Amino acid sequence: MKQVYRACKKCHLITTEKNCPIHGEEKTSTEWFGFVIVTEPKLSIIAERAGITEPGAYAIKVRQ
Ligand SMILES: [Zn+2]
C-alpha cells in the first residue's frame, strides 16, 4: 500500500496520520505544497516565523 503524506492544517507538521500527532483533534490534509525540515527550531528564523517549536518536517502551504 502506498503511503500518503499529510500535513496538519494548524501547525503544518507532515505526518501519515489522519489527525495531527500534536493537536489530536486537528485533521490533516493531503493537499499541501513544499516542505521545510526543522532540526533546531530555536535557531531557525523560518521556524520562528512559522511558529514551529518542535523539530520535524513541515509543509509550507496547506490547503484548508
Ligand atoms: Zn498540528
Side-chain angles (χ1 to χ4, degrees), residues 17-43:
E17 305 295 322
K18 284 201 166 76
N19 286 75
C20 177
I22 295 169
H23 296 103
E25 296 293 293
E26 201 67 36
K27 290 266 190 298
T28 56
S29 170
T30 53
E31 294 195 57
W32 54 272
F33 311 91
F35 69 95
V36 287
I37 294 182
V38 177
T39 49
E40 296 194 58
K42 283 180 193 130
L43 302 176

Side-chain angles (χ1 to χ4, degrees), residues 3-62:
Q3 212 159 41
V4 178
Y5 286 97
R6 313 174 67 95
C8 175
K9 289 179 184 181
K10 197 171 181 181
C11 65
H12 291 195
L13 181 73
I14 292 171
T15 176
T16 52
E17 305 295 322
K18 284 201 166 76
N19 286 75
C20 177
I22 295 169
H23 296 103
E25 296 293 293
E26 201 67 36
K27 290 266 190 298
T28 56
S29 170
T30 53
E31 294 195 57
W32 54 272
F33 311 91
F35 69 95
V36 287
I37 294 182
V38 177
T39 49
E40 296 194 58
K42 283 180 193 130
L43 302 176
S44 169
I45 293 165
I46 299 165
E48 198 186 305
R49 283 202 190 144
I52 293 165
T53 55
E54 297 295 322
Y58 293 84
I60 291 166
K61 257 191 145 165
V62 180

